[in-house]
Amino acid sequence: MNRQTLVRRIAPIGAALALGGGAGAAIYASTTGSGNGTATVVASVPAQPAVQTVANTTTTLTQLYKDAAPGVVDITVVTGASGAPGGGQSSAEGSGFVIDTKGDIITNAHVVDGATSIKVRFQNGKTAKATLVGSDDGTDIAVIKVATDASQLHPLSWGTSKTVQVGESVAAIGSPFGLPESMSAGIISAINRTITAPNNYSISGALQTDAAINHGNSGGPLLNLSGQVIGINAQIESDSGGNDGVGFAIPSDAVKSVADTIISGGKVQHAYLGITIGTASSGSGAQVSAVKAASPALTAGLKAGDVITAIDGTAVTTADDLTAKISAHQPGDKVTLSVTRNGSTLKLDVTLGTRPS
């Protein structure tokens, strides 16, 4: 059975702090060949366009790495108190990326969850202690901050996730299995996926990619070929627990909005309807399976079994579609739901609430 898995890397405290992935490096070394064969290039006119295409792709990815890698960091966190009864300290590792010259760094909330200390390692090997500015479990976004010279900070630029298309080439940079500054490349496999946040709410609009994402990649950037951040790598779908070519990144537009709110000292809030849904058996609409107590949905008169077919006149095709449409609103917004119940169609006005933590 497939599992949707967060990709923070848990490691023994000593190994993580000393080497940050020595075991991963050893596995890599033992499976890397050392052949000394000689390749022969045949200079034929028909082959030239293919060779040129490969060269252009290699140049693009190589340049992307040179430009972006200095802005990507390895993050090591320690959780638990030293000498605490029943378990003591443990460590975890993830990735992050610099967004300004003030020291703000974005990562996943699950990377720094429960951290008693946070250490950041830059590409040049320098390290700095970091503090948590704030986090939002509902989008799995956190901002940490380091106090270091601005020359050490290489902010990455934002791209918009709204225009991302299936088939677009992308690259991920991070610390899979504790191997910092690793890059993988692939394409956007799908858009508008819905994944589960650490607090069990839904994150809509996720980007699916076949760029290799593994434990330790959490919090690192997903980049377009211009080197712009279009997502933050967060989860994998896997039978094995490792990369099966199905990774998910939280869309950059949502990441930037949440990060800006956290940095400005604001409180991140999410619109809340208060229902459990699935795609209708007819294949069109979102069917309500449960209505939460004391929720806007209950107040508006929604019932289990209702099928929501539109919101403010815009068709709802699936459960994920409804989730995305509600997520695009703010608490306090008033919406009108078109609902099918026992063969009849009715309109229900709802004032969206604030999602509980």
Side-chain angles (χ1 to χ4, degrees):
M1 183 176 180
N2 288 351
R3 298 181 298 134
Q4 198 173 90
T5 309
L6 303 175
V7 283
R8 177 175 75 166
R9 176 177 178 264
I10 307 297
I13 184 72
L17 294 181
L19 296 176
I27 293 170
Y28 177 84
S30 68
T31 58
T32 301
S34 57
N36 296 312
T38 302
T40 302
V41 178
V42 179
S44 62
V45 174
Q48 187 61 34
V51 172
Q52 188 64 44
T53 299
V54 172
N56 286 342
T57 302
T58 302
T59 301
T60 298
L61 291 173
T62 301
Q63 190 60 51
L64 183 155
Y65 183 82
K66 290 179 179 178
D67 293 341
V72 181
V73 300
D74 178 76
I75 299 173
T76 302
V77 304
V78 175
T79 60
S82 178
Q89 291 182 310
S90 61
S91 74
E93 188 172 16
S95 307
F97 57 96
V98 179
I99 59 168
D100 58 38
T101 54
K102 298 177 182 178
D104 293 309
I105 293 170
I106 289 180
T107 187
N108 282 134
H110 75 260
V111 168
V112 294
D113 181 42
T116 54
S117 71
I118 306 172
K119 183 176 73 173
V120 168
R121 178 186 180 278
F122 295 95
Q123 187 190 37
N124 61 9
K126 293 185 177 180
T127 62
K129 290 184 178 180
T131 56
L132 179 65
V133 179
S135 64
D136 175 50
D137 283 344
T139 49
D140 198 11
I141 300 302
V143 179
I144 61 176
K145 194 178 186 72
V146 294
T148 189
D149 190 88
S151 62
Q152 183 67 44
L153 302 169
H154 302 277
L156 300 187
S157 59
W158 291 105
T160 179
S161 49
K162 289 180 181 178
T163 57
V164 172
Q165 300 181 62
V166 174
E168 182 175 338
S169 295
V170 291
I173 303 179
S175 302
F177 301 115
L179 297 167
E181 296 96 43
S182 296
M183 183 172 76
S184 59
I187 62 169
I188 295 294
S189 305
I191 59 175
N192 294 325
R193 295 301 197 199
T194 297
I195 59 178
T196 303
N199 61 1
N200 292 320
Y201 285 105
S202 296
I203 302 173
S204 61
L207 306 176
Q208 181 183 328
T209 180
D210 67 351
I213 295 173
N214 285 290
H215 296 284
N217 274 117
S218 282
L222 186 68
L223 305 156
N224 60 25
L225 292 190
S226 296
Q228 297 173 317
V229 178
I230 57 171
I232 176 171
N233 302 314
Q235 296 182 17
I236 56 174
E237 190 83 18
S238 175
D239 289 327
S240 64
N243 171 56
D244 285 345
V246 183
F248 300 100
I250 301 164
S252 60
D253 292 342
V255 177
K256 186 177 185 303
S257 176
V258 170
D260 287 346
T261 300
I262 291 173
I263 292 169
S264 67
K267 182 179 180 180
V268 180
Q269 295 183 322
H270 302 280
Y272 177 64
L273 183 55
I275 56 176
T276 303
I277 54 174
T279 298
S281 57
S282 64
S284 181
Q287 184 160 13
V288 179
S289 57
V291 178
K292 304 291 185 181
S295 67
L298 184 65
T299 301
L302 273 170
K303 298 180 179 181
D306 288 348
V307 176
I308 300 171
T309 58
I311 178 170
D312 290 333
T314 302
V316 170
T317 56
T318 64
D320 286 353
D321 188 22
L322 178 62
T323 298
K325 286 178 167 59
I326 295 298
S327 297
H329 283 276
Q330 296 296 319
D333 286 354
K334 296 181 179 180
V335 299
T336 300
L337 303 178
S338 298
V339 175
T340 299
R341 178 186 298 168
N342 298 325
S344 299
T345 300
L346 55 153
K347 306 282 188 183
L348 298 178
D349 294 325
V350 185
T351 299
L352 300 175
T354 300
R355 183 195 293 171
S357 59

